């Protein structure tokens, strides 16, 4: 449900409660004694409250907030969320603005503070956050608050700015088993040229060559550009199996969810390690889902797949716990 | 102006005004007032490092403990009032706090204490001096509160380890030294907040119902409010009063000649004393009888005519609570107060010597009307035979030669009136007026006055005459009251001061009643502190304002409130009709002028804005800034896709060049570039959907297969700082590294910086166009700073319209 732009929340601060208490006391004393200076004082204190309300409204008005999320986030790894606040007012600066980033309608534990936002300008601040769960993190909006001008109460408004951040599963360092002959030299095959990362040979540049392959270190003679020929690479195909079926309740120290998360973490760690080594990784789930990743596609598709996968109901309990690895064969890259 | 300095000045002013509101209310004795003000001035003048040193050595705690012990001791072992002790304690606490304050929390304590002083001031004072202090507080309080709040926010939010956009640690002292947070405009605006606050205060003051419940009256005992007039006369004590210029009462007399006489010798009788023991005059009876309630006319010798205008008297609180009337008053009426106070009401009483007293529920100014008799008939015309004896009593201690002197002086007189006139005349002509009469220290002061010194003040003269009249069998009594009155042209009243206090004689003359005789030499009864010239004019003005304050603020009650609302009832526009024609015209003209003025000002502002916009000096719009950010994204995507745009190539030129070369991404790049240009320079707004679409397409470009391979990796990890055209200065570019403009002909400054994931803390200022892609440098700086921040990245804007470079912020 969209929030109305005029909706405000008001909360008295500790100082505000004291001030209100004193004001009520003065009011009672004034009514009791009929002492006109007390009425004056009461008027002044109530006026301060009214002016405070008007000023805080001025400070909050015409503020818009935008969030800049990182391109990727990972469980257990800190990232920064950038908060940009615009003051669209013509003349009036906004003071002492606090912005809370709301996630799934729950206040965030971090706030960004802006001492002064000049009229018709913007300011950016950021807060650091470490996600604890993989999956889609929904940022629903912002709570913009100020205690300006007197700190008597905190006025806030909420803005709807929906955004999603996909949090990848955590990845642990994995020591992969050594490959067979030739593996340790970067999978360079003994035959011919290819499109691998390693250098196969060096020769003078010819017409039609991709200029991106110019070997600048050797191209010192004017007019004689030297090309770097790439070697043919062999690539391992790795299949990882992931059990995404919800098991029946079993006497275990780990709950089903925790065990599933642990499996995802294991599979993610293996997948990342393999892809970084140059292997092509295929992840197969028990429910039939599949994703293929390799170095050319990067880690994102695989991690995104693992970030969004959920347990499936209604299947027999899985015997294996954790990810299983099987090397199917070798493919030319 | 430095933030910390302004904050300190405003808090000091608040503390000073709070204490001053108590001092001007007469709460403290003069030496104590001087001591308090001097201590506070010393505390305010202390250097910051001394304050910190005092705070570190816990001087505040020790001083407070000593102060508490002192006040407790005084409460238990002296007869000091608890309220006085508490007020003194609050003042002492303020002095200690101001001297040892250190941080925003202490400043807030200073403000709270000032507020408490102001509340205490309503109990102990409330006069014009208090009103002026309140006015000053209304002006200063908003600024002090705002700055205290900001300082508290700064201290609370900028915690240890936080860094600003420049990557420097944010430390509170640096912000407090900054001149950019608080400018002249800020101070002017916060002080101008006093206007709405004043308006609200006045409105609330007027409309708040005046219903006094009197559940718990916390007012000072009346004895403390005495201002000099006494129920007894002790020879030798009146001298101090003669130099006191404090106003005792104000008399407004109708139908005065034009110009009114500057000084008028009005005899205002307070009380009469019938018993003299040789030194002191007292009353032998203390019986009181209630005559009427407030608002009821009391006839003394006659009935005033329906159209007869009375003298209006405003009397300061007195002890004893006596009403002063002329010796020839025919009727008196105590004015009603409009406050509803259950169980208590203002009443008029009469005492044994014909004096009028009042009984009031509160310690306020009393107003009453008196109707002087045109025929000069005295107030009291009868004397019962049983009463005659006490007016003829002479103290045994008095030497007989006083009676002998009286007999000698009146030897040739045949009537009591002649005897009285002879004694009055002889005293007036043969004796001197002297406030410092040596007779006061003698065992028989009256005898010494008549036979030795022959010098004395009014009480010697009146006592001598009364005693001498009694010795020749003429009933007489000593009367105390006031004589005189100085005209105040601003307030149009006669001010009667303490210095006008006087003593004279009433003698009962058979067939005529109690007649007044004044044996004091004429001209000697003038107050000793009379002033003239500009000083007197200023004093009169102050007293007139004070009278208005007393009437309209301190005396504002339910009756005035009802009367005010009746006059404001606009249902039949009677209030407007009730205004005289010229006044109505002036009111309508003023209203019209205000409306026209507001309209003209609005037009002027609108035109000025339009002019600023058309002159190209307009600030970069929000859409333009957003577009710049999006194009920055596109730039990165193009670099990743292997079609990087170089600094020297304009965005559209780059897109067209790609198109000419037949690059497969050219159509998409051109489409995005044109959208950017439309938003950036064509004022075509970008909707949120369009922004998301732009970002999505730019990301797609970044991942496009044409950009795969090592080039994409290089483009992602190495960025070149670019310059863009500054929209506010066509033909020139803006270099964020130096934050200066340069022409296109000069080579762009390039900086290579590794890109990291994350976000930055930086400032975008529309005024300088710094939100363009060139602000990447700030971003990178901020990224590094933000990544080092342990908890939260905080942005400090110390800039006003044009943000300064980080180095300037630091040097504040």
């Amino acid at each position: 449900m969209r929030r109305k732009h005029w909706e405000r929340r008001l909360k008295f601060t500790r100082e505000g409660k004291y001030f209100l208490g004193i004001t009520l006391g003065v009011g009672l004393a004034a009514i009791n004694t009929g002492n006109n200076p007390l009425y004056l004082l009461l008027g002044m204190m109530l006026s301060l409250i009214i002016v405070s309300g008007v000023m805080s409204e001025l400070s909050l008005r015409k503020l818009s907030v935008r969030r800049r999320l990182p391109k990727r986030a990972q469980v257990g790894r800190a990232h920064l969320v950038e908060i940009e606040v615009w003051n669209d007012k013509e003349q009036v600066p906004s003071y002492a603005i606090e912005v809370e980033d709301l996630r799934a309608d729950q206040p965030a534990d971090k706030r960004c503070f802006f001492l002064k936002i000049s009229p018709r300008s913007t300011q950016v601040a950021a807060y650091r956050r470490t996600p604890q769960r993989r999956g889609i993190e929904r940022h629903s909006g912002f709570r913009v608050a100020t205690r300006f001008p007197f700190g008597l109460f905190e006025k806030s408004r909420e803005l709807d700015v929906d955004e999603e951040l996909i949090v990848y599963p955590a990845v642990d360092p994995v020591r992969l088993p050594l490959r067979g002959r030739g593996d340790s030299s970067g999978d360079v095959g003994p035959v011919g040229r290819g499109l691998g990362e390693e250098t196969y040979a060096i020769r003078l540049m010819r017409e039609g060559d991709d200029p991106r392959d110019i070997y600048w270190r050797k191209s010192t003679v004017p007019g004689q550009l030297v090309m770097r020929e790439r070697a043919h690479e062999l690539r391992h195909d790795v299949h990882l199996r992931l059990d995404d079926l919800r098991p029946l309740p079993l006497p275990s120290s780990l709950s089903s969810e925790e065990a599933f998360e642990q499996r995802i973490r294991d599979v993610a760690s293996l997948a990342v390690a393999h892809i970084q080594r140059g292997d092509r990784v295929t992840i197969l789930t028990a429910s039939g889902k599949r994703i293929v990743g390799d170095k050319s596609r990067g880690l994102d598709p695989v991690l995104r797949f693992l970030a969004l996968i959920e347990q499936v109901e209604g299947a027999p309990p899985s015997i294996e716990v954790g990810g299983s690895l099987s090397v199917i064969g070798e493919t030319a890259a | 102006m430095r933030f910390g300095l302004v904050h300190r000045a405003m808090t000091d002013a608040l503390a000073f005004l709070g204490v001053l509101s108590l001092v001007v209310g007469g709460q403290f004795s003069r030496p104590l007032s001087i001591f308090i003000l001097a201590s506070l001035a010393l505390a305010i003048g202390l250097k910051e490092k001394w304050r910190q040193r005092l705070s570190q050595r816990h001087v505040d705690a020790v001083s407070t403990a000593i102060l508490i012990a002192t006040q407790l001791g005084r409460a238990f072992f002296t007869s000091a009032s608890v309220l006085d002790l508490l007020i003194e304690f609050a003042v002492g606490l303020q002095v200690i706090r101001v001297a040892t304050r250190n941080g925003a929390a202490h400043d807030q304590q200073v403000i709270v204490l000032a507020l408490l002083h102001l509340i205490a001031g309503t109990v102990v004072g409330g006069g014009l001096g208090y009103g002026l202090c309140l006015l000053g507080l209304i002006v200063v309080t908003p600024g002090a509160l705002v700055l205290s709040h900001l300082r508290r926010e700064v201290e609370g939010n900028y915690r240890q380890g936080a860094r600003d956009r420049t990557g420097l640690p944010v430390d509170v002292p640096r912000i407090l030294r900054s001149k950019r947070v608080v400018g002249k405009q800020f101070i002017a605006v916060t002080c101008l907040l006093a206007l709405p606050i004043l308006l609200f205060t006045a409105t609330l003051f007027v409309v708040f119902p005046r219903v006094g419940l009197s559940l718990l009256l916390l007012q000072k005992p009346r004895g403390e409010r005495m201002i000099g007039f006494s129920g007894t006369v002790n020879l030798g004590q009146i001298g101090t009063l003669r130099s006191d210029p404090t106003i005792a009462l104000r008399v407004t007399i109708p139908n005065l000649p034009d110009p009114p006489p500057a000084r008028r010798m009005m005899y205002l009788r307070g009380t009469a004393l019938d018993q003299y023991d040789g030194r002191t005059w007292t009353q032998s009876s203390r019986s009181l009888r209630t005559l009427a309630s407030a608002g009821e006319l009391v006839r003394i010798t006659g009935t005033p005519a329906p159209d007869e205008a009375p003298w209006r008297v405003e009397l300061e609180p007195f002890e004893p609570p006596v009403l002063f009337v002329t010796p020839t008053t025919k009727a008196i009426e105590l004015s009603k107060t409009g406050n509803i106070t259950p169980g208590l009401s203002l009443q008029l009483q009469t005492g044994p010597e014909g004096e009028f007293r009042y009984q009031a529920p509160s310690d306020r100014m009393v107003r009453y009307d008196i109707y002087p008799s045109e025929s000069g008939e005295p107030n009291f015309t009868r004397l019962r035979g049983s009463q005659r004896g006490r007016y003829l009593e002479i103290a045994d201690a008095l030497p007989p030669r006083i009676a002998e002197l009286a007999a000698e002086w009146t030897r040739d007189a045949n009537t009591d009136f002649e005897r009285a006139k002879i004694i009055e005349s002889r005293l007036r002509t043969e004796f001197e007026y002297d406030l410092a009469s040596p007779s006061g220290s003698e065992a028989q002061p009256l005898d010494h006055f008549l036979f030795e010194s022959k010098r004395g003040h009014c009480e010697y003269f009146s006592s001598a005459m009364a005693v001498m009249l009694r010795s020749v069998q003429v009933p007489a009594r000593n009367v105390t009251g006031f004589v005189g009155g100085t005209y105040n042209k601003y307030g149009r009243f006669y001010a009667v001061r303490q210095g006008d206090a006087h003593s004279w004689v009433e003698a009962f003359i058979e067939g005529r009643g109690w007649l007044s005789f004044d044996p004091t030499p004429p001209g000697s009864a003038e107050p000793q502190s009379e002033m003239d010239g500009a000083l007197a004019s200023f004093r009169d003005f102050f007293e007139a304002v004070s009278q208005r304050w007393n009437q309209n603020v301190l005396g504002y009650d339910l009756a005035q409130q009802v009367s005010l609302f009746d006059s404001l009832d606009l249902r039949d526009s009677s209030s407007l009709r009730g205004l005289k024609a010229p006044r109505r015209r002036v009111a309508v003209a003023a209203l019209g002028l205000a409306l026209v003025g507001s309209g003209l000002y609005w037009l002027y502002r609108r035109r000025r804005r339009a002019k600023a916009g058309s002159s190209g000096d307009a600030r970069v719009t929000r859409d333009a800034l957003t577009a710049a950010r999006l194009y920055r994204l596109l730039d990165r995507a193009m670099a990743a896709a292997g079609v990087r745009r170089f600094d020297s190539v304009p965005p559209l030129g780059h897109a067209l060049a790609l198109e000419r070369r037949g690059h497969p991404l050219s159509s998409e790049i051109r489409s995005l570039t044109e959208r950017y240009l439309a938003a950036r320079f064509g004022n075509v707004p970008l909707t949120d959907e369009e922004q998301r679409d732009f970002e999505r397409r730019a990301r797609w470009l970044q991942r496009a297969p044409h950009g795969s391979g090592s080039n994409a990796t290089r483009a992602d990890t190495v960025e070149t700082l670019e310059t863009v055209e500054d929209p506010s200065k066509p033909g020139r570019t803006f270099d964020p590294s130096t934050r200066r403009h340069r022409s296109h002909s000069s080579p762009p400054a390039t900086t290579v910086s590794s890109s990291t994931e994350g976000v930055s803390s930086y400032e975008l200022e529309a005024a300088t166009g710094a939100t363009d892609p060139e602000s990447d440098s700030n971003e990178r700086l901020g990224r590094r700073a933000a990544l080092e921040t342990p908890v939260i990245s905080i942005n400090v804007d110390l800039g006003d319209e044009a943000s300064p470079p980080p180095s300037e912020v630091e040097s504040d």
Side-chain angles (χ1 to χ4, degrees):
Chain A
M1 191 179 72
R2 307 295 293 183
R3 295 181 184 96
K4 295 179 178 66
H5 71 276
W6 62 81
E7 277 182 11
R8 301 285 185 271
R9 280 187 188 172
L10 210 61
K11 189 176 77 179
F12 276 93
T13 59
R14 192 186 61 178
E15 292 83 3
K17 283 174 188 166
Y18 289 146
F19 189 84
L20 190 68
I22 294 174
T23 307
L24 290 176
V26 169
L28 282 176
I31 292 170
N32 179 41
T33 60
N35 190 351
N36 277 336
L38 276 176
Y39 278 109
L40 268 179
L41 203 58
L42 175 67
M44 187 192 90
M45 295 174 86
L46 290 173
S47 304
L48 282 174
I49 293 176
I50 294 168
V51 167
S52 176
V54 174
M55 295 278 288
S56 60
E57 182 59 33
L58 278 177
S59 213
L60 279 184
R61 274 186 67 203
K62 293 193 177 178
L63 282 185
S64 50
V65 188
R66 183 171 296 171
R67 176 191 308 107
R68 288 191 206 144
L69 295 169
K71 286 175 186 167
R72 50 187 77 87
Q74 200 164 23
V75 170
R77 200 170 161 189
H79 66 263
L80 291 171
V81 178
E82 207 177 45
I83 304 291
E84 186 181 28
V85 183
W86 291 86
N87 180 5
D88 292 329
K89 293 188 280 291
E90 297 286 331
Q91 301 284 336
V92 185
S94 289
Y95 285 95
I97 299 292
E98 264 185 5
V99 179
E100 275 184 83
D101 195 358
L102 302 179
R103 290 195 306 274
D105 290 328
Q106 292 299 315
D109 49 352
K110 302 285 170 54
R111 294 177 170 191
C112 291
F113 177 72
F114 301 84
L115 182 60
K116 179 185 176 185
I117 308 170
S118 300
R120 301 198 68 176
S121 70
T122 182
Q123 282 213 7
V124 180
Y127 69 88
R128 179 179 291 246
R129 192 168 171 274
T130 308
Q132 300 300 321
R133 288 183 60 83
R134 67 175 181 90
I136 296 177
E137 192 174 84
R138 287 193 173 79
H139 292 255
S140 57
F142 299 102
R143 181 174 166 274
V144 186
T146 184
R147 288 185 287 273
F148 188 77
F150 305 139
L152 301 180
F153 54 83
E154 183 181 284
K155 186 183 270 190
S156 63
R157 60 184 293 203
E158 292 189 0
L159 303 170
D160 292 312
V161 181
D162 297 326
E163 261 179 299
E164 290 180 354
L165 175 67
I166 296 175
V167 179
Y168 295 164
V171 173
D172 300 317
V174 174
R175 182 186 289 271
L176 295 175
L178 289 176
R179 292 175 184 165
R181 185 176 60 85
D183 287 356
S184 58
S185 59
D187 295 345
V188 181
V191 287
R193 300 175 185 83
L195 295 172
E197 287 295 316
E198 299 299 321
T199 304
Y200 176 73
I202 294 172
R203 61 171 173 78
L204 287 176
M205 187 179 180
R206 294 192 292 262
E207 192 173 341
D209 282 341
D210 190 341
R212 287 180 291 184
D213 287 337
I214 294 172
Y215 198 8
W216 292 104
R217 282 187 187 173
K218 301 289 181 186
S219 304
T220 51
V221 180
Q224 286 189 2
L225 292 174
V226 177
M227 291 297 296
R228 182 171 69 99
E229 288 185 323
R230 295 166 186 265
H232 180 79
E233 283 183 2
L234 289 179
R235 189 168 57 199
H236 287 254
D237 278 345
V238 178
H239 285 215
L240 297 172
R241 295 198 179 85
L242 174 67
D243 179 8
D244 61 343
L245 301 178
R246 193 185 301 277
L248 291 174
L250 290 173
S252 170
S253 58
L254 291 176
S255 71
S256 161
E257 285 294 327
E258 285 171 338
F260 180 61
E261 293 300 324
Q262 186 59 47
R263 286 200 297 275
I264 288 179
R265 184 171 179 153
D266 293 342
V267 169
S269 305
L270 282 169
V272 167
H274 278 287
I275 290 173
Q276 282 177 340
R277 194 170 72 175
D279 299 340
R280 187 165 74 175
V281 174
T282 304
I283 298 174
L284 293 165
T285 68
S287 63
K289 294 180 189 127
R290 182 172 180 274
I291 184 79
V292 178
D294 57 22
K295 203 164 187 178
S296 65
R297 293 187 180 94
L299 297 170
D300 283 332
V302 169
L303 289 174
R304 184 185 165 86
F305 173 81
L306 291 172
L308 300 177
I309 196 162
E310 297 292 339
Q311 273 188 306
V312 181
E313 297 280 356
S318 171
I319 298 168
E320 295 177 70
V321 176
S324 67
L325 168 68
S326 64
V327 179
I328 304 298
E330 291 183 344
T331 313
Chain B
M1 276 172 273
R2 294 176 191 276
F3 176 32
L5 195 67
V6 177
H7 176 220
R8 207 177 85 174
M10 286 200 162
T11 316
D12 289 343
L14 209 60
F16 181 75
L17 285 168
V19 172
L20 195 65
S21 69
L22 291 171
V23 170
V24 297
Q27 167 64 18
F28 310 114
S29 63
R30 183 166 291 187
L32 185 58
S33 297
I34 293 170
F35 174 73
I36 287 170
L37 291 177
S39 306
L40 189 64
L42 193 68
I44 288 171
L46 272 182
K47 286 186 175 176
E48 200 63 38
K49 63 179 181 183
W50 275 95
R51 285 174 205 264
Q52 286 174 0
R53 202 170 291 176
L54 289 173
S55 180
Q56 284 163 2
R57 292 181 181 176
H58 305 293
V59 172
D60 48 351
V62 173
S63 308
T64 307
I66 292 171
L67 190 62
I68 291 171
T70 308
Q71 297 303 85
L72 281 176
R74 288 177 63 195
F76 285 115
F77 300 113
T78 67
S79 59
S81 150
V82 175
L83 184 65
D84 288 346
L85 292 175
L86 283 174
I87 292 171
E88 285 169 16
F89 175 67
V91 170
L93 216 54
Q94 182 73 295
V95 173
I96 294 169
R97 186 75 289 163
V98 169
T100 59
R101 69 182 163 174
N102 186 17
H106 287 179
D107 284 316
Q108 287 190 333
Q109 288 170 12
V110 170
I111 293 172
V112 169
L113 279 171
L115 193 62
L116 289 179
H117 293 164
L118 208 63
I119 294 170
T122 63
V123 179
V124 300
L128 182 61
Y130 176 83
L132 292 173
C133 287
L134 182 68
L135 188 68
L137 269 156
I138 287 176
V139 173
V140 175
T141 301
L145 282 175
V146 167
L147 293 174
S148 280
H149 166 63
L150 286 181
R151 181 167 178 180
R152 190 150 184 131
E153 291 277 18
V154 165
E155 288 183 0
N157 283 286
Y158 297 162
R159 288 169 294 190
Q160 191 69 31
R163 289 166 187 273
D164 67 5
R165 67 181 188 277
T166 65
L168 292 169
V170 178
D171 59 331
V172 175
R174 193 163 67 91
I175 297 173
L176 293 179
R177 285 196 304 273
S178 168
K179 292 180 180 175
R180 294 194 173 86
V181 178
V182 177
K184 285 177 186 170
Q185 194 182 359
F186 181 89
I187 295 170
V189 168
T190 50
C191 287
L192 280 174
L193 277 181
L195 288 178
I197 289 176
L198 208 59
L199 194 69
F200 281 134
T201 303
T203 308
L204 290 171
F205 176 79
V206 168
V207 301
F208 213 92
R210 291 301 193 277
V211 184
L213 297 178
S214 303
L215 300 174
L216 176 67
L217 284 172
L218 186 66
Q219 297 219 333
K220 297 201 70 178
R222 186 166 289 176
E224 302 277 335
R225 307 277 296 197
M226 184 171 61
I227 57 171
F229 185 82
S230 171
T232 60
V233 168
N234 202 340
L235 291 184
Q237 286 189 342
I238 200 169
T240 54
L241 286 182
R242 299 293 293 164
S243 58
D244 190 347
T246 311
I247 285 191
L249 50 97
R250 299 174 182 85
V251 184
T252 307
I253 301 173
N255 307 321
L256 285 171
D258 192 22
R263 186 158 175 82
R264 186 171 176 134
M265 296 301 287
M266 295 179 294
Y267 279 82
L268 295 166
R269 181 185 190 273
T271 187
L273 309 165
D274 62 330
Q275 201 168 46
Y276 182 63
D277 63 358
R279 177 172 285 276
T280 305
W281 283 93
T282 54
Q283 285 185 333
S284 59
S285 170
R286 294 186 179 275
S287 63
L288 287 173
R289 185 164 55 91
T290 300
L291 284 179
S293 296
E296 294 175 0
L297 185 75
V298 174
R299 295 177 192 83
I300 301 169
T301 57
T303 306
D307 58 342
E308 189 174 339
W311 290 15
R312 166 58 62 94
V313 183
E314 291 170 1
L315 179 66
E316 296 291 338
F318 258 79
E319 182 63 31
V322 174
L323 298 177
F324 294 87
V325 297
T326 61
T328 57
T329 298
K330 62 182 176 188
I332 181 171
E333 182 181 339
L334 206 52
S335 297
K336 268 185 177 174
T337 60
N339 286 327
I340 299 172
T341 47
L344 293 167
S345 63
L346 189 60
Q347 290 186 327
L348 180 65
Q349 298 172 324
T350 182
E353 298 305 324
E355 78 262 27
F356 296 101
R357 293 182 178 232
Y358 64 92
Q359 188 183 47
S362 62
D363 202 0
R364 304 274 174 76
M365 175 182 286
V366 175
R367 293 191 193 88
Y368 56 97
D369 295 337
I370 53 176
Y371 296 87
S373 167
E374 299 85 0
S375 60
E377 187 182 1
N379 296 348
F380 313 104
T381 53
R382 288 182 301 172
L383 177 63
R384 290 179 194 166
S386 60
Q387 301 286 326
R388 189 180 179 90
R390 66 186 172 101
Y391 295 110
L392 294 174
E393 278 181 11
I394 296 176
D396 296 336
L398 282 175
R401 60 176 178 169
I402 296 175
E404 290 167 9
L405 183 66
E408 183 191 330
W409 282 359
T410 58
R411 189 182 304 139
D412 300 331
N414 297 321
T415 63
D416 287 350
F417 183 73
E418 284 179 11
R419 288 185 190 97
K421 289 304 281 185
I422 286 171
I423 293 173
E424 180 190 49
S425 172
R426 295 288 294 263
L427 285 169
R428 276 186 171 194
T429 52
E430 294 174 16
F431 290 76
E432 287 180 25
Y433 188 88
D434 185 6
L435 279 175
S437 170
S439 306
S441 56
E442 296 296 323
Q444 291 290 342
L446 199 58
D447 182 74
H448 190 267
F449 166 69
L450 285 171
F451 298 102
E452 304 296 330
S453 68
K454 298 197 174 184
R455 290 184 289 133
H457 51 70
C458 58
E459 286 175 354
Y460 287 97
F461 286 93
S462 64
S463 299
M465 183 173 175
V467 168
M468 290 172 88
L469 281 174
R470 286 184 179 194
S471 68
V472 294
Q473 298 303 305
V474 178
R477 59 191 179 192
N478 196 351
V479 178
T480 57
F482 291 98
V483 174
T486 317
Y487 188 69
N488 186 313
K489 60 185 175 186
Y490 302 104
R492 296 177 185 173
F493 59 80
Y494 280 95
V496 179
R497 303 172 192 286
Q498 290 276 10
D500 292 324
H502 195 49
S503 179
W504 65 94
V505 174
E506 277 183 354
F508 185 76
I509 309 298
E510 204 63 55
R512 299 180 68 176
W514 287 96
L515 298 184
S516 296
F517 297 91
D518 190 356
T520 308
S524 303
E526 298 272 334
Q528 303 296 305
S529 60
E530 197 56 41
M531 56 178 74
D532 51 12
L535 210 57
S537 187
F538 175 75
R539 181 200 62 190
D540 287 352
F541 177 75
F542 185 82
E543 286 173 355
V545 175
S546 186
Q547 186 209 22
R548 293 294 170 90
W549 172 266
N550 290 341
Q551 273 181 353
N552 302 323
V553 179
L554 296 185
Y556 184 73
D557 53 25
L558 193 62
Q560 287 187 40
Q561 198 170 31
V562 171
S563 160
L564 182 71
F565 288 145
D566 280 347
S567 68
L568 288 176
D569 188 1
L570 296 173
R571 277 175 298 184
D572 57 356
S573 302
S574 58
S575 58
L576 263 183
R577 267 189 242 134
L579 286 176
K580 290 179 181 174
R583 285 189 183 180
R584 193 164 57 218
R585 278 198 292 273
V586 168
V588 171
L591 194 66
L593 272 176
L595 285 173
V596 169
S598 305
L600 285 174
Y601 181 70
W602 180 75
L603 281 174
Y604 164 74
R605 290 293 304 271
R606 193 178 165 188
R607 205 168 164 183
R608 198 174 151 191
R609 269 184 220 155
K611 197 175 173 184
S614 63
S615 67
D617 198 26
R619 295 175 180 181
V620 181
T621 64
R622 180 182 164 175
D623 280 317
L625 296 173
T626 307
R629 183 180 67 79
L630 291 173
Y631 191 74
R632 209 161 51 229
L633 196 66
L634 178 62
D635 246 354
R636 277 201 287 269
M638 288 191 294
V643 285
R644 184 176 156 199
R645 182 182 68 88
F646 289 94
D647 298 342
S648 53
V649 183
L652 189 59
H654 180 65
L656 292 173
L658 287 177
E659 212 167 52
R660 277 196 299 275
R661 285 189 346 225
H663 195 281
L665 298 177
S666 60
S667 60
E668 184 70 358
I669 290 172
R670 184 177 174 180
S671 164
L672 290 173
T673 304
E674 283 175 346
R675 187 67 195 90
Y676 153 69
L677 291 171
R680 182 73 175 79
F681 303 107
N683 291 328
V684 180
L686 273 164
T687 63
D688 287 346
E689 185 56 40
E690 282 179 313
Q691 287 176 38
R692 279 195 286 272
D693 182 57
F694 196 108
E695 286 170 358
R696 186 180 51 76
R697 289 162 68 185
R699 285 197 189 103
W700 177 82
L701 277 176
Q702 197 163 359
R703 297 190 195 109
H706 298 271
S708 63
S710 56
N711 273 2
T713 310
R714 276 200 300 275
D716 256 349
T717 53
V718 180
E719 293 177 2
T720 303
L721 180 68
E722 296 174 0
T723 56
V724 296
E725 190 173 321
D726 184 354
S728 63
K729 294 180 174 60
R732 301 181 74 197
T733 53
F734 184 80
D735 181 357
S737 61
T738 59
R739 298 181 70 88
R740 287 178 184 165
H741 292 85
R742 61 165 182 268
S743 65
H744 285 306
S745 57
S746 60
T750 57
T751 305
V752 178
S753 153
S754 65
S755 170
T756 55
E757 277 307 316
V759 286
S760 63
S761 172
Y762 60 93
E763 180 187 34
L764 302 180
E765 277 286 348
T768 55
T771 50
D772 281 342
E774 71 269 20
S775 62
D776 274 357
S777 66
N778 284 338
E779 190 171 357
R780 291 189 196 102
L781 274 173
R783 272 180 192 161
R784 283 198 292 277
L787 287 167
E788 290 165 11
T789 307
V791 180
I792 185 169
S793 176
I794 291 158
N795 196 354
V796 187
D797 175 16
L798 301 178
D800 288 323
E801 290 300 310
S803 179
S807 58
E808 287 182 28
V809 175
E810 190 186 17
S811 67
D812 252 348

